[in-house]
Amino acid sequence: MITAKNLSLQYPDGTIALNEINLHIKAGELVYITGPSGSGKTSLIKLLMGIEKPTAGQLEVLSHSMNRIDVKNRMFLRQYMGPVFQELKLINGRTVLDNVILGMRFLPIPKQQWKTLATDALEKVKLSHKILSYAENLSWGEKQRVAIARAIVRRPSLIIADEPTGNLDRKNAINILELLNSLRQENTSVIITTHATHLIDSKLVDQFIQIAAGQLEAKSMEEF
Amino acid sequence: MKAITANIGYFFKETFTILKLNKLSNILSLLSITLAFFLLSLVVSTWLISTEMVEVLQQEAEINVFLSEEADDSSRYEMAESFLEIEGIQASRVVTEAEALERMENILGEESEVLTYFDENPFESFVEVKVDFEQVETVKESVSAYEDVRYVRDHQEVLDQIRNISALQRFLGTLFIVAAGTATLVIISHIIRQGIYHNRQQINTLLLLGAPNFFVALPFVLSGLVLTLAGGLVASLLTRFTVGLGYAQLVTPIPFIPLPPQELLVRNTTALILGLSIFLGLSGSIMGIRSSRKEESL
């Protein structure tokens, strides 16, 4: 599903974000990526989503080579992803329901199912009571859950969640992590970047990866 | 295609959200577009009127032959008969003094009262000759060669003047179409660029979610189209009103001017303006999107 070989990313100003990393993630795996701020976590997500192109090495995501991907294929690839952005990227002036439905509008999901699927997704993140609230009127934690609902409603092959529990209380954070974990049953791979390692149920995790200064290191749960 | 039909409501909702975001700027643009289209429609209307006038006058090309006072009625009728042998003459008949007076009364309508102030009929008898427009000059020469012919009057001068005016209006019309078109394109493309700038975060989110370009761009194309169509519609309504006013002013005092039917004129002008507004709205929007793509990676 995802294979990186000697993958590097260097920004135009010379900063080396990732340096010759190797990675292999199979379908249905749950992978946690941790590391201090500026270590390269977000850069790795940018590469996986095709926002940046590798400057060296090889990266393959869902059978697409990210080294050579064109705009059309990148768009197509992203339709198979469920991204949860750190800055959430909800649309203000639209209701919670509209925001969740927005993620499905251009996918091959029948229009008749949009509302039901969105309502189900919002129920899973415990936000069904806020369905008609406007995005800008929600707390950051609630917004985070809407962003997660928007990602899972698309029934993606790959979930990429950048700090999805960052502003949630313990109870909601555990609920979200359990929810993301449950998606594996549908063979969805889940990649989560987080600082909140204390909330992770180690029995469920397939890979722990730590990034430090652009270098990647696989670790056991006990080492965190 | 499925994504378009399933999202029609969404596209229109987004379009009005985009328009609402820059309310003042969009209102000013709408006013400018309306004004440009209104001026254009006025020029086009007068162009259509003068073209119609030239056509009607060409179809009705005729010369009036006035005979010397010595000629009696029978020689007038003989001469009218003999004119038919001249090449280029389609019909020829004598118009008596009484008929000439009656014609003028019909033309003047309610104003014909002015003719009662004459002690006697001020009109004289003449021979009315219908001529092929292309052969007016040669016919005029042949007719003038007759002995009793005192004076031949044609409408060539008037026709030439109207034709000159019509050519000028055609030139101005073309110039106006180019000017109004360029101004509208610039305005719409600028408005779209502004809309894209104000919505850049939303656009970026949609692209990251894998939205196709057409899905992201369509609301912007529609917002350009809505602006130009609204401008075109208001301009058409103003034109309908102005043409109505103009006809009321022209028809009563100058009833013999061959104006095209008012409804036809308004319909043709409206069709042109609305057609242009659709074309310019789409082109301006696409221009705006294309130029933004270079900067915003849309």
Side-chain angles (χ1 to χ4, degrees):
Chain A
M1 177 161 276
I2 295 174
T3 309
K5 284 180 190 163
N6 302 321
L7 178 68
S8 297
L9 175 66
Q10 184 173 10
Y11 288 111
D13 66 357
T15 311
I16 297 171
L18 292 170
N19 192 14
E20 295 193 347
I21 65 164
N22 291 294
L23 184 70
H24 184 69
I25 298 170
K26 285 183 267 182
E29 277 194 345
L30 174 62
V31 178
Y32 278 92
I33 300 174
T34 64
S37 297
S39 58
K41 297 191 298 291
T42 304
S43 293
L44 178 59
I45 286 177
K46 282 182 175 174
L47 284 169
L48 294 175
M49 291 201 65
I51 299 168
E52 298 287 347
K53 278 196 176 181
T55 44
Q58 301 295 318
L59 175 63
E60 197 174 279
V61 179
L62 299 172
S63 307
H64 287 84
S65 167
M66 303 308 281
N67 300 68
R68 293 185 296 274
I69 197 162
D70 59 19
V71 176
K72 196 179 171 188
N73 277 309
R74 188 180 65 181
M75 172 207 81
F76 193 62
L77 172 68
R78 284 175 180 173
Q79 292 184 358
Y80 287 89
M81 293 180 173
V84 181
F85 307 103
Q86 199 169 6
E87 61 276 32
L88 306 179
K89 295 186 184 292
L90 297 186
I91 312 293
N92 287 340
R94 281 25 165 227
T95 63
V96 165
L97 186 68
D98 284 342
N99 266 283
V100 177
I101 287 178
L102 186 67
M104 285 185 282
R105 286 191 176 276
F106 39 85
L107 300 183
I109 299 172
K111 187 182 181 179
Q112 296 78 6
Q113 292 180 22
W114 290 353
K115 199 172 174 186
T116 316
L117 290 173
T119 312
D120 286 351
L122 284 166
E123 207 160 295
K124 283 178 184 166
V125 296
K126 311 265 186 260
L127 263 184
S128 46
H129 61 294
K130 294 273 184 174
I131 208 159
L132 295 176
S133 301
Y134 282 89
E136 62 269 32
N137 297 333
L138 302 178
S139 69
W140 189 263
E142 287 170 333
K143 285 180 182 177
Q144 209 154 20
R145 285 188 276 160
V146 177
I148 291 163
R150 185 179 64 189
I152 64 171
V153 81
R154 293 155 58 89
R155 301 193 171 165
S157 303
L158 174 64
I159 292 257
I160 300 174
D162 198 1
E163 297 284 355
T165 55
N167 286 279
L168 301 181
D169 56 47
R170 186 181 169 81
K171 193 180 157 198
N172 270 317
I174 290 173
N175 175 46
I176 290 299
L177 293 178
E178 280 175 2
L179 173 66
L180 292 176
N181 178 53
S182 71
L183 297 172
R184 301 163 68 196
Q185 289 164 4
E186 293 162 30
N187 221 24
T188 300
S189 304
V190 182
I191 298 173
I192 300 171
T193 70
T194 185
H195 286 101
T197 49
H198 59 286
L199 298 172
I200 301 169
D201 183 347
S202 60
K203 292 190 289 290
L204 305 174
V205 181
D206 296 301
Q207 290 188 56
F208 287 99
I209 293 165
Q210 188 170 34
I211 302 182
Q215 299 281 355
L216 207 129
E217 197 179 329
K219 292 203 167 186
S220 67
M221 187 66 199
E222 289 69 35
E223 289 177 87
F224 287 104
Chain B
M1 194 62 200
K2 230 175 175 182
I4 294 180
T5 49
N7 286 296
I8 284 177
Y10 164 80
F11 289 135
F12 277 101
K13 211 169 156 188
E14 286 301 301
T15 299
F16 287 103
T17 307
I18 291 165
L19 290 174
K20 267 197 296 186
L21 266 177
N22 295 300
K23 217 181 275 175
L24 182 66
S25 166
N26 286 329
I27 289 172
L28 291 175
S29 305
L30 180 64
L31 288 176
S32 316
I33 292 166
T34 304
L35 186 67
F37 281 153
F38 178 58
L39 291 174
L40 176 65
S41 70
L42 288 186
V43 173
V44 170
S45 297
T46 47
W47 170 17
L48 290 176
I49 288 173
S50 60
T51 307
E52 170 81 6
M53 280 166 75
V54 170
E55 273 176 18
V56 169
L57 290 176
Q58 280 181 357
Q59 280 164 14
E60 293 179 358
E62 64 175 38
I63 55 174
N64 297 337
V65 182
F66 294 86
L67 304 184
S68 63
E69 286 173 5
E70 290 80 41
D72 57 14
D73 277 354
S74 63
S75 59
R76 281 177 218 277
Y77 284 102
E78 272 170 29
M79 197 174 281
E81 194 70 30
S82 68
F83 282 167
L84 290 172
E85 287 163 22
I86 300 172
E87 199 192 330
I89 290 183
Q90 298 163 343
S92 166
R93 62 182 285 269
V94 173
V95 176
T96 62
E97 292 96 331
E99 192 183 343
L101 177 67
E102 196 187 329
R103 280 184 182 184
M104 188 47 80
E105 281 171 348
N106 287 337
I107 287 170
L108 293 177
E110 286 174 8
E111 311 290 325
S112 64
E113 234 185 71
V114 71
L115 296 171
T116 59
Y117 293 105
F118 291 99
D119 293 332
E120 54 185 49
N121 185 352
F123 299 99
E124 58 178 301
S125 171
F126 61 93
V127 180
E128 187 181 73
V129 181
K130 297 258 182 211
V131 187
D132 277 345
F133 176 73
E134 303 298 330
Q135 290 178 287
V136 171
E137 278 309 309
T138 52
V139 168
K140 210 174 140 188
E141 274 174 31
S142 306
V143 167
S144 301
Y146 279 72
E147 201 177 320
D148 281 339
V149 171
R150 175 169 55 92
Y151 166 64
V152 177
R153 189 177 70 191
D154 65 5
H155 307 297
Q156 195 61 36
E157 228 169 82
V158 180
L159 204 59
D160 285 344
Q161 277 181 356
I162 295 174
R163 204 184 282 142
N164 287 342
I165 293 170
S166 178
L168 179 70
Q169 278 168 337
R170 195 178 305 134
F171 172 72
L172 282 177
T174 313
L175 205 67
F176 256 85
I177 288 177
V178 173
T182 311
T184 308
L185 276 179
V186 170
I187 291 170
I188 291 299
S189 122
H190 177 69
I191 284 290
I192 298 303
R193 282 170 60 86
Q194 242 185 359
I196 289 171
Y197 179 77
H198 286 293
N199 288 280
R200 61 194 184 283
Q201 280 176 338
Q202 182 178 339
I203 291 169
N204 187 34
T205 303
L206 281 169
L207 293 175
L208 287 173
L209 289 170
N213 279 345
F214 81 84
F215 186 91
V216 181
L218 203 55
F220 294 98
V221 174
L222 284 177
S223 59
L225 195 59
V226 165
L227 274 179
T228 50
L229 256 181
L233 274 173
V234 178
S236 298
L237 288 174
L238 286 174
T239 306
R240 173 174 283 273
F241 173 74
T242 314
V243 167
L245 211 67
Y247 265 56
Q249 297 290 314
L250 274 177
V251 170
T252 314
I254 326 172
F256 46 83
I257 289 187
L259 294 171
Q262 186 181 335
E263 200 47 47
L264 185 72
L265 176 76
V266 170
R267 205 187 309 144
N268 287 345
T269 313
T270 303
L272 176 79
I273 295 299
L274 292 185
L276 261 179
S277 64
I278 291 172
F279 172 74
L280 292 172
L282 288 175
S283 315
S285 305
I286 291 167
M287 266 173 63
I289 290 168
R290 276 178 181 272
S291 62
S292 292
R293 272 174 91 163
K294 289 175 195 158
E295 293 160 30
E296 307 273 345
S297 71
L298 183 72

